[in-house]
Amino acid sequence: MFLKSAEIFALKSGGINPVLLRLTTDSGEVGLGEAAVAYGVGAKASAAMLQELAERFLRGGVDPYRAESVAASIKDFSFWAKGGGPILHAGLSAIEQALIDIKARSLGIPVYELLGGRMRDTLRTYANGWYFGCSSDRELPDAAEKTVADGYSSLKFYPFAEILDGGRLRHPSLRGSDDPDLVKRGVALVAAVREAVGPDVELLLDLSAGLTPFDAIRFCHEIEKYDVAFVEEPTEPDDLNALKLISERVQQPIAVGERLYGRQGFRDLLESRSVAILQPDLGNTGGIWEARKIAAMAEAYGLKVQPHICASSLSTAIGAHFSASIPNFYVQEHFPYWGQVPGYVEVLKDPLEPRVVNGRLPIDAQPGFGVELNDEKIADFLYCRIDLT
């Protein structure tokens, strides 16, 4: 069996821009992957990078079972993968995921079996994106209350992000460092959401590295009474001294990882002992098997792992196999309300999101990732088709 073709899809979908890969073998086996630079900027660049990587490293009768060998070649011979950032690692991630999907499908087993086997039957999730449709902070408490009524007992939000039309966010930056009321407003928003949902709902806060370290410390002190489960990216994720400074002065666990790449990107973070929860993004850190290695490293340091997921429903399905198989899983990120955003395109025929019950995500036992692309919906977004023979 060898790789025969690659198809790359670059979508515009309700505020995000997913980039999907479908590899097909000479025997007709299919593997799916996603380059998860779907938010912010970089989706177009990741589609082009994915094309270049496929043309360079997947041509000439490549055996799809040799995912580790292909990934190693990309890391060794692309040059920029050494210490590289999200664009190259997103392309690498999509290829690695698709190869592993092919192998599992051809063996007739779910991907989680390749990762050590399933350790749980459903996944606890937290709702993100529950603020879609809001136009101001004043609307967030009601939206949070409605989300809890839908069965979610864990919510994440961004106390310093500006809400734009339709619930899109403009994340904070240090340009707010001269605002004496910045911390006060963030505290008031946390208080209002906590009052709306009651004491038993888990609240998770993402600061998106938008505060100075000492503003982050002040904020964390002032929200202690609201029982926040973790604070994400309280400062630049690769500034280990700042992370350690904050972690030694605040009560809340710190979560970091969506903007770190590969095992090497997490190594010094682990040694710093400054975080409690790792958040590798399976679509931009090097792939699902790479993230499994990161989870094993985290386990050695007694840390929890919560995969970062903010892309299409394909990434949700991929993340479910990862989360099902690791012993130190904490909670799965989940966007249950993408379908309410104008222009959203559902890329899968049978996504997991509508099957969530009481905030728990099912784990698909079908071969591979257990999902298929919805060709009817994504056909117009074909970026390129590549002959790999």
Side-chain angles (χ1 to χ4, degrees), residues 185 218 240 270 278 293 320:
R185 288 201 308 273
R218 179 184 162 204
L240 299 185
L270 290 167
L278 293 192
K293 296 174 183 178

Side-chain angles (χ1 to χ4, degrees), residues 204-223:
L204 315 172
L205 304 182
D206 190 343
L207 307 192
S208 299
L211 304 181
T212 66
F214 286 100
D215 277 344
I217 291 168
R218 179 184 162 204
F219 171 74
C220 289
H221 286 171
E222 295 194 21
I223 62 169

